[in-house]
Amino acid sequence: MAKHLAPYRTYIIRCWEEQRSQSSTSIYRFTLEIPATGERFGFTQSQKLIQALELALAHIQTQTEPDAALEDEPD
Protein backbone atom coordinates (compact mmCIF):
# COMPACT_ATOMS: atom_id res chain seq x y z
CA MET A 1 0.00 0.00 0.00
CA ALA A 2 1.45 3.39 -1.02
CA LYS A 3 1.91 6.07 1.60
CA HIS A 4 0.29 9.46 0.96
CA LEU A 5 2.78 12.25 1.66
CA ALA A 6 1.68 15.82 2.31
CA PRO A 7 2.90 18.31 -0.29
CA TYR A 8 5.91 20.43 0.59
CA ARG A 9 5.16 24.08 1.39
CA THR A 10 7.33 27.12 2.05
CA TYR A 11 6.28 30.01 4.29
CA ILE A 12 8.42 33.04 5.03
CA ILE A 13 7.85 34.72 8.39
CA ARG A 14 9.44 38.08 9.08
CA CYS A 15 9.48 39.91 12.39
CA TRP A 16 10.84 43.35 13.25
CA GLU A 17 10.61 45.86 16.05
CA GLU A 18 9.41 49.43 15.51
CA GLN A 19 9.94 52.26 17.94
CA ARG A 20 6.90 54.40 18.60
CA SER A 21 7.73 58.03 17.94
CA GLN A 22 5.58 59.35 20.81
CA SER A 23 7.03 57.11 23.55
CA SER A 24 9.93 54.90 24.46
CA THR A 25 7.91 51.73 23.85
CA SER A 26 8.20 49.58 20.78
CA ILE A 27 5.92 47.21 18.91
CA TYR A 28 6.59 44.14 16.84
CA ARG A 29 5.35 43.69 13.32
CA PHE A 30 5.10 40.43 11.39
CA THR A 31 4.58 39.28 7.82
CA LEU A 32 3.65 35.85 6.53
CA GLU A 33 4.54 35.28 2.89
CA ILE A 34 3.55 32.32 0.74
CA PRO A 35 6.09 32.30 -2.11
CA ALA A 36 4.13 29.79 -4.20
CA THR A 37 1.20 32.19 -4.53
CA GLY A 38 2.91 35.52 -3.92
CA GLU A 39 0.49 36.26 -1.09
CA ARG A 40 1.75 38.37 1.81
CA PHE A 41 -0.12 39.11 5.02
CA GLY A 42 0.84 41.69 7.66
CA PHE A 43 0.17 41.45 11.41
CA THR A 44 0.67 43.52 14.52
CA GLN A 45 -0.07 40.65 16.89
CA SER A 46 1.89 37.41 17.02
CA GLN A 47 -1.25 35.44 17.86
CA LYS A 48 -2.89 36.58 14.61
CA LEU A 49 0.21 35.44 12.70
CA ILE A 50 0.01 32.01 14.33
CA GLN A 51 -3.72 31.75 13.54
CA ALA A 52 -3.07 32.58 9.89
CA LEU A 53 -0.28 30.01 9.67
CA GLU A 54 -2.53 27.37 11.28
CA LEU A 55 -5.25 28.23 8.76
CA ALA A 56 -2.81 27.93 5.87
CA LEU A 57 -1.68 24.52 7.13
CA ALA A 58 -5.29 23.40 7.59
CA HIS A 59 -5.88 24.45 3.97
CA ILE A 60 -3.36 21.80 2.88
CA GLN A 61 -5.24 19.11 4.76
CA THR A 62 -8.73 20.07 3.57
CA GLN A 63 -7.83 21.53 0.15
CA THR A 64 -10.22 24.45 0.65
CA GLU A 65 -9.52 28.11 0.18
CA PRO A 66 -8.03 29.77 3.28
CA ASP A 67 -10.07 32.59 4.78
CA ALA A 68 -8.26 35.91 4.43
CA ALA A 69 -10.31 37.30 7.33
CA LEU A 70 -7.35 36.71 9.64
CA GLU A 71 -5.33 39.34 7.83
CA ASP A 72 -4.60 42.01 10.43
CA GLU A 73 -3.46 44.87 8.25
CA PRO A 74 -2.60 45.52 4.59
CA ASP A 75 1.01 45.06 3.62
Side-chain angles (χ1 to χ4, degrees):
M1 178 182 240
K3 248 180 144 176
H4 183 285
L5 299 176
Y8 179 81
R9 300 288 191 259
T10 300
Y11 300 93
I12 300 172
I13 297 173
R14 292 184 175 93
C15 173
W16 66 96
E17 184 179 13
E18 287 186 357
Q19 296 291 326
R20 293 183 179 215
S21 59
Q22 305 296 331
S23 67
S24 61
T25 62
S26 59
I27 60 171
Y28 285 95
R29 301 218 181 253
F30 309 89
T31 60
L32 172 63
E33 184 176 343
I34 306 171
T37 63
E39 294 174 285
R40 187 183 303 165
F41 304 95
F43 305 92
T44 57
Q45 299 174 4
S46 60
Q47 190 58 38
K48 294 284 189 178
L49 166 68
I50 292 167
Q51 288 174 348
L53 185 56
E54 288 173 341
L55 186 62
L57 294 172
H59 164 67
I60 294 170
Q61 295 173 349
T62 61
Q63 296 300 308
T64 60
E65 280 299 311
D67 184 5
L70 287 180
E71 185 175 30
D72 191 29
E73 63 182 39
D75 191 42

